[in-house]
């Protein structure tokens, strides 16, 4: 059989399923629908010209052709799965095209310890490969992502108010609203500022991922002694006990492909009086070069969908944006 998207079979399937595909990602949730990236929003970073950490070019797609509901018989993307994923590390799925897979993958459900349920609702399979619910990306395969279908992450948005030397909260001169700050990390892989975060390990609760990723990326906890790690974990139990979920769903990530995509749960932990997170010594670690407090504003240029997460956080706190 020819390439997945070059085959007449695939084209016919998509035509026949167009009615069903039109409903992808429309699972009713009035709270979540109002959040950052609406179900109808077009992804852009997931269609970047060159795939990250490679020289692989994506098939160029006009905005009008992104949706699977729109016929696009000329769509002929290349397949790309990064060598590091093809080597079969423990965090990666087997190659679906393998005639003798280790075990079949159970999509749209809990597959052992792996959560293959999407926040977007039930996703389609074509030739046993999951299809990105937000539409075409210009590339098939898994790219740098380990899992076919949704790859779940967690992003802790740690915030505080910006204060003057007297401890008074500062307000923006134009909007008159208080200025919010968040813990930002500089990513090693692409040099972009981002919210600290990472992948949810198989069988791991999101609440644990949030604490682990913040400690590793913003505090460099990996260099701590076992005694200091336990002390940090104890303090985190209180600091991370009260959070407000900002967003859970699809992420417009440059690593996304037609068959693998990022989803995240972003939770805000706010240091209202500046006595907890504000006093922690920030230091980049693991996947981060550095970490620092950064003002929240509309001028932010951050990795993936992180700017939109911060916008929602500012709106929640009635802060300057």
């Amino acid at each position: 059989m020819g390439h997945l998207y070059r085959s007449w079979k695939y084209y016919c399937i998509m035509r026949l399923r167009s009615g069903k595909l039109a409903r992808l990602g429309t699972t009713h949730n009035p709270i979540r629908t109002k959040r950052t990236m609406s179900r109808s929003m077009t992804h852009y970073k997931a269609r970047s010209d060159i795939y990250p950490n490679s020289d692989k070019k994506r098939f160029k797609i006009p905005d009008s052709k992104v949706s699977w509901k729109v016929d696009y018989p000329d769509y002929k993307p290349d397949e790309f799965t990064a060598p590091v994923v093809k080597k079969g590390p423990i965090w990666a799925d087997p190659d679906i095209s393998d005639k003798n897979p280790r075990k079949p993958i159970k999509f749209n459900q809990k597959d052992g310890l792996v959560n293959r349920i999407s926040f977007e609702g039930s996703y389609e399979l074509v030739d046993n490969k999951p299809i990105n619910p937000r539409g075409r990306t210009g590339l098939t395969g898994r790219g740098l992502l380990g899992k076919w279908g949704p790859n779940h992450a967690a992003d802790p948005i740690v915030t505080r108010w910006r204060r003057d030397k007297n401890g008074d909260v500062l307000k923006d001169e134009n909007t008159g609203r208080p200025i919010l700050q968040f813990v930002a990390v500089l990513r090693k892989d692409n040099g972009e500022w981002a919210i600290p975060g990472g992948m949810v390990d198989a069988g791991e609760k999101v609440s644990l991922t949030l604490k682990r990723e913040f400690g590793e990326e913003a505090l460099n906890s990996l260099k701590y002694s076992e005694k200091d790690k336990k002390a940090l974990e104890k303090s985190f139990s209180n600091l991370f006990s009260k959070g407000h979920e900002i967003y859970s769903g699809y992420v417009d990530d440059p690593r996304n492909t037609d068959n693998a995509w990022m989803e995240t749960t972003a939770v805000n932990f706010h240091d209202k009086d500046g006595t907890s997170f504000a006093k922690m010594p920030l230091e980049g670690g693991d996947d981060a070069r550095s970490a620092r407090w950064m003002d929240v504003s509309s001028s932010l240029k951050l990795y993936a969908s992180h700017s939109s997460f911060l916008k929602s956080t500012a709106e929640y706190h009635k802060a300057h944006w």
Side-chain angles (χ1 to χ4, degrees), residues 102-114:
R102 286 173 286 181
K103 66 175 183 177
I105 295 175
K106 299 177 181 178
F107 292 110
N108 284 305
Q109 59 184 296
K110 290 288 184 67
D111 184 13
L113 294 177
V114 180

Side-chain angles (χ1 to χ4, degrees), residues 34-103:
K34 291 190 294 185
R35 288 179 184 165
T36 313
M37 189 176 179
S38 70
R39 293 290 185 258
S40 61
M41 186 177 290
T42 302
H43 53 198
Y44 293 96
K45 294 186 178 181
R47 293 185 286 142
S48 56
D49 291 340
I50 305 297
Y51 192 85
N53 299 335
S54 76
D55 57 1
K56 177 60 69 173
K57 292 183 178 181
R58 292 183 187 267
F59 188 97
K60 290 188 177 181
I61 311 163
D63 292 350
S64 61
K65 300 288 187 179
V66 171
S67 174
W68 296 113
K69 294 181 289 184
V70 179
D71 290 340
Y72 196 11
D74 293 333
Y75 183 54
K76 299 177 176 62
D78 288 335
E79 187 277 337
F80 176 68
T81 297
V84 65
V85 178
K86 283 187 174 181
K87 289 180 180 179
I90 191 171
W91 45 267
D93 285 336
D95 186 352
I96 290 180
S97 62
D98 187 348
K99 294 182 179 179
N100 298 299
R102 286 173 286 181
K103 66 175 183 177

Side-chain angles (χ1 to χ4, degrees), residues 31-295:
I31 296 177
R32 194 165 290 158
T33 301
K34 291 190 294 185
R35 288 179 184 165
T36 313
M37 189 176 179
S38 70
R39 293 290 185 258
S40 61
M41 186 177 290
T42 302
H43 53 198
Y44 293 96
K45 294 186 178 181
R47 293 185 286 142
S48 56
D49 291 340
I50 305 297
Y51 192 85
N53 299 335
S54 76
D55 57 1
K56 177 60 69 173
K57 292 183 178 181
R58 292 183 187 267
F59 188 97
K60 290 188 177 181
I61 311 163
D63 292 350
S64 61
K65 300 288 187 179
V66 171
S67 174
W68 296 113
K69 294 181 289 184
V70 179
D71 290 340
Y72 196 11
D74 293 333
Y75 183 54
K76 299 177 176 62
D78 288 335
E79 187 277 337
F80 176 68
T81 297
V84 65
V85 178
K86 283 187 174 181
K87 289 180 180 179
I90 191 171
W91 45 267
D93 285 336
D95 186 352
I96 290 180
S97 62
D98 187 348
K99 294 182 179 179
N100 298 299
R102 286 173 286 181
K103 66 175 183 177
I105 295 175
K106 299 177 181 178
F107 292 110
N108 284 305
Q109 59 184 296
K110 290 288 184 67
D111 184 13
L113 294 177
V114 180
N115 179 15
R116 302 189 188 278
I117 301 171
S118 171
F119 288 115
E120 303 290 295
S122 181
Y123 47 89
E124 287 288 311
L125 301 178
V126 175
D127 288 345
N128 199 38
K129 293 182 179 180
I131 301 301
N132 191 318
R134 291 301 180 97
R136 302 176 175 93
T137 68
L139 208 61
T140 66
R142 281 175 290 167
L144 288 166
L145 300 179
K147 301 290 188 293
W148 295 98
N151 288 252
H152 292 286
D155 295 309
I157 305 172
V158 174
T159 58
R160 70 178 184 184
W161 295 116
R162 183 177 177 181
R163 300 173 185 273
D164 62 20
K165 60 182 180 180
N166 296 319
D168 296 324
V169 176
L170 294 173
K171 295 183 179 181
D172 181 77
E173 295 179 355
N174 296 317
T175 64
R177 291 192 172 191
I179 299 172
L180 199 63
Q181 293 185 314
F182 77 104
V183 174
V185 296
L186 185 64
R187 293 175 63 102
K188 289 181 180 178
D189 57 354
N190 55 28
E192 291 186 81
W193 286 97
I195 297 166
M199 308 305 296
V200 178
D201 292 338
E204 184 178 48
K205 291 184 178 180
V206 171
S207 58
L208 179 59
T209 307
L210 290 163
K211 290 186 286 186
R212 174 173 57 78
E213 289 296 333
F214 183 77
E216 291 177 359
E217 294 197 345
L219 301 176
N220 198 14
S221 62
L222 292 176
K223 75 172 187 178
Y224 285 20
S225 66
E226 288 302 315
K227 180 179 179 180
D228 289 339
K229 283 183 181 179
K230 289 182 180 179
L232 182 64
E233 290 173 2
K234 185 177 181 180
S235 66
F236 271 13
S237 296
N238 295 323
L239 299 176
F240 281 86
S241 62
K242 296 180 181 179
H244 174 74
E245 185 177 312
I246 295 296
Y247 178 78
S248 53
Y250 183 88
V251 179
D252 185 11
D253 193 291
R255 294 170 293 181
N256 292 353
T257 70
D258 287 3
N259 307 123
W261 59 91
M262 288 293 301
E263 298 190 12
T264 196
T265 299
V267 181
N268 175 221
F269 301 95
H270 183 56
D271 185 359
K272 185 177 180 179
D273 55 10
T275 59
S276 52
F277 287 111
K279 293 185 176 181
M280 287 187 172
L282 299 180
E283 180 183 354
D286 195 21
D287 297 326
R289 295 180 189 172
S290 61
R292 69 179 179 88
W293 289 99
M294 184 178 289
D295 289 355

Side-chain angles (χ1 to χ4, degrees), residues 7 279 302 308:
S7 66
K279 293 185 176 181
L302 303 176
S308 58

